[in-house]
Amino acid sequence: MNIILVNDINEAKLEGVKAEMSLLGAPTVRAIDAGDHLIAIEGSHRLRAAEELGVAVNIEIIDESAEIDLDTLDWDDNGWFDERVVSGREFIEGFT
């Protein structure tokens, strides 16, 4: 299944994540099942690093009705959402 990343990849950060992943192993990333694809709400660099290293990723599926606290993420400084807590459905609608 295809997974949409919500962040652009910073090559310097990617190299650091790859080095860390080489020591720690497979990462876990939260994602919402949007039907024919997943939307990663975090972990863009971890997903790309895992792909480049050939490491499996543990995906924790977040339900569309679940609340997502944007303050637990490190990327919504762009003001994409009006609220700080959104449903999985609102998150999907914000990216599709």
Side-chain angles (χ1 to χ4, degrees):
M1 183 175 286
N2 190 29
I3 189 162
I4 295 174
L5 307 181
V6 296
N7 286 322
D8 293 331
I9 301 299
N10 173 294
E11 291 300 322
K13 182 173 181 176
L14 178 62
E15 291 306 313
V17 171
K18 285 169 52 176
E20 189 172 292
M21 193 175 297
S22 293
L23 297 173
L24 300 177
T28 298
V29 174
R30 294 182 293 166
I32 300 169
D33 187 343
D36 62 344
H37 62 280
L38 299 173
I39 300 174
I41 66 170
E42 64 181 1
S44 295
H45 290 86
R46 285 177 279 160
L47 286 164
R48 180 64 56 84
E51 177 182 44
E52 290 184 13
L53 295 171
V55 174
V57 176
N58 301 310
I59 304 290
E60 179 184 333
I61 301 296
I62 305 295
D63 188 83
E64 286 186 25
S65 64
E67 291 186 342
I68 300 168
D69 182 349
L70 299 177
D71 289 330
T72 66
L73 307 175
D74 64 352
W75 56 262
D76 189 38
D77 296 328
N78 299 316
W80 290 331
F81 296 96
D82 295 331
E83 304 293 328
R84 297 311 301 162
V85 176
V86 298
S87 71
R89 171 56 34 206
E90 290 170 313
F91 195 93
I92 291 169
E93 291 170 358
F95 286 98
T96 57

